[in-house]
Amino acid sequence: MTDPTDQSTSKSTSADPVANGQSTPRRPKSKGRKGSHAGELNFGDAWDYAPAPESVKVEIAPSYGHFINGKFTKPGKTFATINPATEETLSMVSEGSARDVNKAVAAAREALPKWAKLKPTERAKYLFRIARRIQERAREIAILETKDGGKPIKESRDVDIPLVAHHFFYNAGWADKLEYAFPNRDPRPVGVCAQIIPWNFPLLMAAWKIAPALACGNTVVLKPAETTPLTALRLAEIFEEIDLPPGVVNIVTGAGDTGKALAEHKDIDKIAFTGSTGVGKMLAKTASKRGIKMTLELGGKSPNIIFEDASIDQAVEGIIQGIYFNQGHVCCAGSRLYVQESVVDEVIEKLTIRLKTLRLGDPMDKNTDIGAINSKEQLKTINQYLKIGDDEGASRITPSDKPLPKKGFWCNPCFFTGVQQSHTIAREEIFGPVLAVQTFRTPDEALTRANNTPYGLAAGIWTDKGSKIFNTAAKLQCGIVWCNTYNKFDPASPFGGFKESGFGREGGLQGLRPYVKL
Amino acid sequence: MEHSPVPRHLRYNDRMKSITVDRVMADQRAAAFTKRSIKTSAKESGLRLALSMVDLTTLEGKDSPEKVRSLCRKAILPDANDPTLPHVAAVCVYPELVPTAFEVLEGSGVRIASVATGFPSGQYPLDIRLSDVRNAVESGADEIDMVISRGSFLAGDRGKVFDEIASIKDACGEAHLKVILETGELETYDLVREASDLAIAAGADFIKTSTGKIAPAATMGVTLVMLEAVRDHFIKTGKHIGVKPAGGIKTSKQALHYLVMVKETVGDDWLTPDLFRFGASSLTNDILMQLARRRTGRYMAGHDFSEA
């Protein structure tokens, strides 16, 4: 596997690793392995898969109000939520005003004493009911998630919605065991929690926030993202169905202004936010003025490090999972790839082959791997970054030559080679199916460059050697390290960031901490 | 092997860096292929393709000439009610029964495969295994399914296994050589990958998972690892090597999953019986049943089809 004509690896290992740090000029990777491409694989359309659309119809009301105090309000001033794959309007959703937010917070405040004092086993029962009802309605919710957000039905069906149910189940289990989670500490609810969530995993983010809050006896006002409010509203229907006491969870839809009104509301006790670092910083200012509790789960530019002794085919699979899952709309996406120089040609060759087999198109088709970009704005952002990458001198490789659908928002999965650590595409979060590939020679160099970022959310390590996994993982400055895998989620496992990727943990025992006073 | 018939430059190099395979991720990838939804026209064409890739197999001590003749008829005309269906790729029998198969299959386009080399254990001296091969080829076998000496391989004597495969390839003459790795006995994916690379380097035309006598036989994960070996060899040399999962593939649905894996791992070139086979017996009737359902709109019973 090692290129016999490439002597650079052995030379560099004997060099001073510090001198080999981030300032090492990158040798242009122009000379390919001669004669190594004797066979060209053919991923054509022999035996093409027939369309396999998810055919179940899901009811969507023409317009929705907010869910406040256990009831849906009459739709007020509304805005459209569209299907990003077709640009069709799915429904009209209310834009939460300061008054709506007031009402929601007041309802949550009113519901708080009773809910907080409810026997913990009773709170658990509600959570179990929610979880079961989500499972029963999983297909419907998955379809709704895909229509509203553009992600492939395969992912909402197999990843998002099962995890949503799992989070409610998991936290239901904690509700009556909090004193064991925090032994000798007398855990009490924090109070009214304002929760603002993003559009990349709409219902999953709602579950991450609502489930531990309720388990710990808090009440909630949740604001879903403006482009993906439908599943949160469907969750509200489930709350109605299972007779969750009025006011325990309130859902106010709207855009940035609604979120701002909620975050600045005087009667909230805690803010939990998942989204961009820019907004997170603003919210931190707001919260700091009033000394309320806060957790932030923000952006990332997570490194995925492939050592030369890794199982390359599986590592390539990990790259795919890391950056092209959910069109790259993942805060912990492995958007910076660091490959040990001796295997970079092989990795790039295999990545290119693998990208050719990804199927981009109708998110409702069960065979679609890459769905639509969530919104026109996000597509614009991604395209800007693609241009910046080109302009700054990196080479963009887009292996698929298939045309994009005419309607909707689409971006072909691609990656950049010849990327420098100082390039914008290696430093800023793109939130799209765009990967920046860099090489390294020594483990130290990989670590230095992996940590050379304002972010610190996640990282991936690929090696066949156990000791290397532990050595590297211990020195990476980030909240999550995946070893020989990527983007694995479990409700029992805490998730959260270092540095500008935020603070506080969600999931696991640690995920309860932000929702209790001790 | 003191007097290897294999030229030195072709011998297995023990220092060849072996490629590691991470089982968790490989299995995860293999499972992803089963999530593909193959419906309507794709299902029909996929099943026809799968049928044309079947090595209709009987490998039992009690195999009779009568049973083999019946199997051969089935191979030529899988379903008398649907003459548009392709014949299967080959009939696979013990060397003793190759002459019987030859009588029925000559000129039919269905190839004759024979297990040889001391099937299924391979625990015989090389000269006996070589004469086993020559005998099968002389009786009319187009393809030889050999077993590797897992004993030597697991003991670390890779060079010996390499030389054996190379000499058997030599003994095959014109006949195609399928090398059975018996992955159920190799256990780890690392070894499956190494055995695949070794067999390919030694001259295999096909690599095959299992004898069918050891559990587990073919799995999606193992076949994926072998397809990756074949793919890497192709990229390097431009040469196509075939892959044959055998044992345990019983349903149409499974067969379609395998075809999806082939299509998305090695590409369209391999969607042909020349490069991909199913070693199976009960699979055939399940495919016929599914195809008949598409043709007639009704589900058939097992007894509507002749036994294979």
Side-chain angles (χ1 to χ4, degrees):
Chain A
M1 299 214 313
T2 307
D3 185 350
T5 61
D6 185 350
Q7 300 297 320
S8 54
T9 315
S10 53
K11 260 187 240 163
S12 70
T13 40
S14 60
D16 178 5
V18 179
N20 232 330
Q22 64 206 65
S23 61
T24 311
R26 313 309 309 155
R27 187 168 58 90
K29 301 295 301 180
S30 52
K31 284 172 282 173
R33 292 175 297 174
K34 268 181 209 142
S36 68
H37 291 75
E40 200 70 48
L41 294 168
N42 170 21
F43 295 103
D45 49 14
W47 190 50
D48 208 1
Y49 310 148
E54 169 63 66
S55 52
V56 168
K57 293 268 179 290
V58 168
E59 270 182 47
I60 303 174
S63 62
Y64 286 94
H66 311 293
F67 183 71
I68 295 173
N69 208 18
K71 285 190 289 288
F72 277 97
T73 62
K74 280 220 176 82
K77 191 184 164 200
T78 57
F79 61 95
T81 181
I82 66 164
N83 179 340
T86 61
E87 299 179 53
E88 283 167 335
T89 297
L90 293 170
S91 182
M92 301 301 288
V93 180
S94 298
E95 198 176 318
S97 62
R99 256 189 82 213
D100 297 324
V101 170
N102 265 338
K103 277 193 208 161
V105 174
R109 178 60 62 193
E110 201 188 322
L112 181 65
K114 220 172 153 190
W115 179 252
K117 286 216 187 81
L118 197 65
K119 245 172 98 180
T121 47
E122 291 300 310
R123 283 208 304 270
K125 271 192 205 167
Y126 284 110
L127 288 167
F128 277 124
R129 276 185 217 156
I130 295 168
R132 279 198 300 270
R133 201 63 193 122
I134 287 166
Q135 286 186 321
E136 283 159 9
R137 296 178 70 170
R139 194 167 181 190
E140 168 200 355
I141 298 170
I143 292 168
L144 203 56
E145 196 77 301
T146 286
K147 282 202 160 170
D148 205 14
K151 66 173 63 199
I153 186 74
K154 191 173 77 172
E155 288 176 13
S156 42
R157 179 194 68 196
D158 295 343
V159 182
D160 287 58
I161 308 308
L163 270 174
V164 169
H166 202 170
H167 266 272
F168 278 104
F169 275 123
Y170 176 81
N171 283 287
W174 274 124
D176 62 344
K177 300 170 195 73
L178 293 175
E179 53 192 292
Y180 302 99
F182 306 100
N184 307 318
R185 300 291 301 275
D186 185 26
R188 284 153 293 140
V190 170
V192 174
C193 303
Q195 306 182 326
I196 301 171
I197 56 170
W199 45 260
N200 57 343
F201 295 93
L203 195 62
L204 183 58
M205 292 301 106
W208 279 25
K209 297 224 169 352
I210 294 174
L214 296 194
C216 297
N218 304 278
T219 57
V220 166
V221 180
L222 177 92
K223 189 200 86 69
E226 67 268 30
T227 61
T228 54
L230 292 183
T231 45
L233 293 167
R234 196 63 46 129
L235 185 63
E237 283 180 21
I238 288 178
F239 295 152
E240 269 188 320
E241 276 183 330
I242 61 123
D243 287 328
L244 187 74
V248 170
V249 180
N250 305 275
I251 295 171
V252 181
T253 52
D257 286 344
T258 312
K260 193 160 176 276
L262 176 59
E264 290 176 353
H265 199 283
K266 290 197 188 67
D267 202 24
I268 56 170
D269 301 303
K270 179 192 155 59
I271 302 175
F273 171 77
T274 297
S276 73
T277 296
V279 176
K281 284 180 177 171
M282 265 162 42
L283 290 177
K285 268 188 204 156
T286 310
S288 65
K289 284 182 203 149
R290 304 187 9 239
I292 58 175
K293 284 186 90 142
M294 162 159 249
T295 43
L296 296 174
E297 204 269 272
L298 307 175
K301 192 73 188 173
S302 300
N304 205 1
I305 306 168
I306 300 183
F307 289 103
E308 60 184 357
D309 60 355
S311 301
I312 299 295
D313 279 306
Q314 285 73 48
V316 167
E317 215 40 53
I319 301 172
I320 300 283
Q321 255 179 40
I323 184 66
Y324 302 112
F325 174 63
N326 198 27
Q327 297 76 247
H329 302 330
V330 184
C331 48
C332 50
S335 50
R336 286 186 294 150
L337 181 68
Y338 291 101
V339 187
Q340 199 151 15
E341 203 172 321
S342 56
V343 291
V344 70
D345 290 340
E346 189 188 354
V347 167
I348 290 201
E349 182 171 41
K350 289 189 166 169
L351 179 61
T352 307
I353 290 171
R354 182 67 178 86
L355 280 173
K356 283 184 186 162
T357 67
L358 286 181
R359 301 168 65 90
L360 176 145
D362 180 7
M364 292 292 280
D365 192 305
K366 293 169 194 162
N367 291 327
T368 291
D369 300 312
I370 302 286
I373 299 300
N374 186 269
S375 65
K376 200 175 186 172
E377 288 68 42
Q378 188 54 31
L379 181 60
K380 210 175 124 197
T381 308
I382 296 169
N383 284 333
Q384 275 166 358
Y385 276 114
L386 291 179
K387 186 166 181 307
I388 292 172
D390 296 340
D391 291 348
E392 288 184 348
S395 342
R396 177 163 22 139
I397 300 172
T398 311
S400 168
D401 48 9
K402 297 199 180 88
L404 295 173
K406 295 233 160 48
K407 277 255 175 192
F409 319 125
W410 306 92
C411 177
N412 246 326
C414 62
F415 61 90
F416 281 97
T417 58
V419 177
Q420 316 271 328
Q421 188 78 359
S422 59
H423 279 170
T424 310
I425 51 165
R427 304 202 65 79
E428 295 182 11
E429 184 175 38
I430 300 175
F431 227 60
V434 183
L435 174 71
V437 185
Q438 301 181 62
T439 58
F440 67 93
R441 291 183 174 181
T442 66
D444 256 8
E445 186 188 358
L447 263 171
T448 316
R449 304 170 96 214
N451 285 334
N452 177 224
T453 167
Y455 293 109
L457 193 50
I461 304 171
W462 299 84
T463 167
D464 207 34
K465 198 166 186 176
S467 58
K468 211 183 271 176
I469 287 177
F470 289 111
N471 278 329
T472 314
K475 291 174 192 152
L476 282 166
Q477 295 157 2
C478 57
I480 305 114
V481 182
W482 282 295
C483 303
N484 290 331
T485 188
Y486 208 96
N487 272 344
K488 279 268 173 278
F489 303 97
D490 191 286
S493 168
F495 184 98
F498 275 38
K499 302 196 277 189
E500 291 197 8
S501 291
F503 46 81
R505 294 292 177 263
E506 294 184 298
L509 189 153
Q510 293 82 350
L512 301 169
R513 182 64 190 86
Y515 290 101
V516 290
K517 276 195 285 199
L518 296 177
Chain B
M1 291 290 299
E2 298 254 320
H3 303 288
S4 165
V6 184
R8 176 158 279 286
H9 71 278
L10 278 182
R11 289 203 210 157
Y12 182 71
N13 180 354
D14 277 336
R15 288 170 304 159
M16 237 163 81
K17 190 183 167 199
S18 62
I19 290 168
T20 60
V21 182
D22 183 84
R23 179 179 281 268
V24 175
M25 282 298 283
D27 282 343
Q28 195 176 313
R29 176 71 183 133
F33 298 116
T34 69
K35 296 283 171 92
R36 290 283 188 229
S37 181
I38 306 299
K39 302 285 181 214
T40 61
S41 57
K43 183 171 178 182
E44 163 125 22
S45 53
L47 290 177
R48 283 172 173 266
L49 181 60
L51 181 64
S52 76
M53 291 170 162
V54 168
D55 278 6
L56 209 51
T57 304
T58 184
L59 294 171
E60 286 167 22
K62 62 179 185 205
D63 284 346
S64 63
E66 207 38 58
K67 181 174 182 191
V68 169
R69 272 193 283 272
S70 157
L71 198 71
C72 292
R73 279 187 54 85
K74 179 95 177 171
I76 297 168
L77 185 64
D79 183 354
N81 292 320
D82 188 357
T84 70
L85 293 181
H87 61 70
V88 306
V91 163
C92 183
V93 292
Y94 272 117
E96 271 293 285
L97 292 156
V98 169
T100 315
F102 189 77
E103 284 165 25
V104 188
L105 292 178
E106 199 187 1
S108 68
V110 177
R111 296 166 68 89
I112 301 169
S114 180
V115 295
T117 71
F119 183 90
S121 69
Q123 300 270 38
Y124 295 85
L126 183 63
D127 54 343
I128 294 175
R129 302 173 70 199
L130 286 171
S131 73
D132 197 11
V133 171
R134 287 191 198 102
N135 169 45
V137 173
E138 275 161 26
S139 318
D142 304 300
E143 301 173 356
I144 296 296
D145 289 25
M146 72 163 281
V147 286
I148 62 166
S149 304
R150 280 87 74 192
S152 305
F153 184 81
L154 292 172
D157 203 349
R158 314 285 207 265
K160 184 175 173 195
V161 178
F162 181 95
D163 290 348
E164 282 184 3
I165 298 172
S167 2
I168 289 164
K169 168 72 182 166
D170 196 46
C172 281
E174 294 289 294
H176 272 212
L177 176 64
K178 303 200 199 96
V179 178
I180 303 173
L181 310 179
E182 195 64 302
T183 53
E185 288 188 342
L186 302 183
E187 280 187 31
T188 70
Y189 285 178
D190 285 347
L191 286 184
V192 171
R193 173 70 196 226
E194 194 176 344
S196 302
D197 288 342
L198 185 149
I200 293 168
D205 297 302
F206 252 87
I207 49 177
K208 173 174 168 184
T209 59
S210 329
T211 59
K213 305 290 180 193
I214 296 284
T219 62
M220 292 280 289
V222 149
T223 311
L224 175 63
V225 173
M226 290 164 64
L227 283 167
E228 286 172 353
V230 160
R231 179 201 59 197
D232 291 351
H233 181 72
F234 173 74
I235 292 171
K236 231 178 276 166
T237 64
K239 286 191 191 122
H240 295 84
I241 304 294
V243 176
K244 176 178 170 185
I249 303 162
K250 297 187 187 318
T251 66
S252 302
K253 200 168 185 174
Q254 278 177 299
L256 291 175
H257 292 162
Y258 275 89
L259 290 185
V260 166
M261 181 158 71
V262 170
K263 181 177 166 62
E264 298 191 22
T265 308
V266 284
D268 293 0
D269 290 11
W270 269 261
L271 292 174
T272 151
D274 293 340
L275 290 170
F276 195 78
R277 298 278 180 86
F278 293 105
S281 37
S282 54
L283 172 65
T284 313
N285 271 355
D286 194 66
I287 292 177
L288 295 178
M289 214 182 279
Q290 292 293 331
L291 284 171
R293 211 225 30 107
R294 279 194 59 81
R295 195 177 68 242
T296 65
R298 284 176 294 118
Y299 277 106
M300 304 283 157
H303 59 240
D304 290 330
F305 300 95
S306 65
E307 60 168 11

